Amino acid sequence: MESRSGAVSSEQLAAIEDEEVLNKMLDGTTDFEERRLIRAALRDLLKKKRDKREQERGSRQQELRGQGLARGGAAGVGAGRAAASQQPAVTNKRPPGQTSPSAGGPATPTAASPLKSPVALVPNAKNVKQMLLDWCRAKTEPYEGVDIHNFSSSWKDGIAFCALVHRFFPDAFEYSILNPNKPRENFQLAFNTAERLAGCPPLLDADDLVRMREPDWKCVYTYIQEFYRCLVEKGLVKTKKRP
């Protein structure tokens, strides 16, 4: 659909893949219809990027699970061979009437199966969650007014988000002037800064969080995971173990 004469169309806006370009266009126009089209294009672009990141995250998780299962299976087979080599040699002499396993008879059971379940080698989701929570607590420990002990109520006023972002981008804003009684402003500040400087998509919405009595821990956990991943990609967090 074309907007007013001389203005860009919704199709042209949809072809723009750069948020900064759309933001500049939004700041540069006062036409109501054009602003509506640009805002719609921005929402669609952000949703497209979020969907892409979700797909990439799902692919990475499947790949990691596959690698974990493969390593677990190889380790189990190796353990089985090692255990089998330590078993005493079995003589070919059998009591009368006992059939050989190769002849279709039942095999003699071993005392314990040497094979281990590969699932045991896959990182436990609960442990990963605790690792990420401990990381958040360690990074925000110097900040006044922050006491992180879960992924829900500890984040409800937005101060914890701001502290975590400020730890990696201390020049982005002044932490000391933040007001815990203005959660919406705190959420928006943290999410905007994380998106602008770390490339972290705004998976959480400030208005939705304000309406909740306490944030949904799954949503907060997912956002912190994404923020952590973005920091790792930018080299701001150097570790071989990703929560």
Side-chain angles (χ1 to χ4, degrees):
M1 179 184 70
E2 293 287 343
S3 61
R4 63 183 178 80
S5 178
V8 294
S9 66
S10 57
E11 288 79 8
Q12 291 172 324
L13 291 171
I16 299 175
E17 300 289 336
D18 193 331
E19 294 175 44
E20 186 176 352
V21 172
L22 291 173
N23 282 321
K24 288 182 178 178
M25 293 176 65
L26 187 62
D27 293 338
T29 182
T30 57
D31 182 76
F32 175 80
E33 179 64 17
E34 195 168 64
R35 289 179 66 84
R36 185 185 69 80
L37 291 174
I38 295 173
R39 283 196 296 269
L42 266 171
R43 286 195 299 269
D44 291 342
L45 179 58
L46 290 174
K47 183 178 184 302
K48 187 188 301 182
K49 288 186 176 182
R50 285 197 297 269
D51 292 343
K52 183 179 179 181
R53 287 184 180 274
E54 287 296 327
Q55 291 177 354
E56 291 175 350
R57 186 187 299 113
S59 298
R60 284 196 301 272
Q61 290 175 346
Q62 289 181 357
E63 182 180 353
L64 289 174
R65 283 197 294 267
Q67 291 175 355
L69 290 171
R71 286 195 298 268
V77 172
R81 290 175 178 172
S85 65
Q86 297 175 2
Q87 293 291 330
V90 179
T91 178
N92 290 330
K93 295 182 180 180
R94 294 182 176 84
Q98 181 176 347
T99 59
S100 168
S102 60
T108 303
T110 57
S113 173
L115 296 178
K116 301 293 184 181
S117 171
V119 178
L121 298 180
V122 179
N124 187 288
K126 185 176 181 180
N127 293 338
V128 173
K129 180 184 174 185
Q130 187 60 48
M131 286 169 56
L132 190 61
L133 187 65
D134 292 341
W135 176 77
C136 293
R137 186 183 295 115
K139 294 302 179 183
T140 59
E141 185 178 6
Y143 288 83
E144 183 179 358
V146 180
D147 181 21
I148 296 176
H149 54 274
N150 59 37
F151 282 110
S152 182
S153 60
S154 298
W155 307 79
K156 64 181 180 180
D157 60 6
I159 294 295
F161 285 108
C162 290
L164 188 60
V165 173
H166 189 268
R167 177 64 182 267
F168 294 94
F169 306 104
D171 297 327
F173 55 86
E174 182 61 45
Y175 176 83
S176 62
I177 65 175
L178 299 180
N179 186 349
N181 294 320
K182 295 182 177 180
R184 187 188 184 283
E185 288 80 354
N186 298 333
F187 289 135
Q188 202 65 58
L189 176 63
F191 301 156
N192 289 346
T193 305
E195 182 179 17
R196 178 167 54 89
L197 300 180
C200 182
L203 302 178
L204 298 178
D205 183 82
D207 290 328
D208 290 341
L209 292 173
V210 170
R211 284 192 290 267
M212 298 178 184
R213 186 174 63 86
E214 289 183 358
D216 185 340
W217 76 266
K218 293 180 181 178
C219 296
V220 175
Y221 177 54
T222 299
Y223 179 85
I224 298 300
Q225 277 186 311
E226 185 66 15
F227 180 63
Y228 183 95
R229 186 189 66 79
C230 292
L231 294 176
V232 171
E233 287 186 350
K234 287 186 172 294
L236 297 176
V237 172
K238 297 181 180 179
T239 177
K240 294 182 179 179
K241 295 181 179 180
R242 296 187 181 186

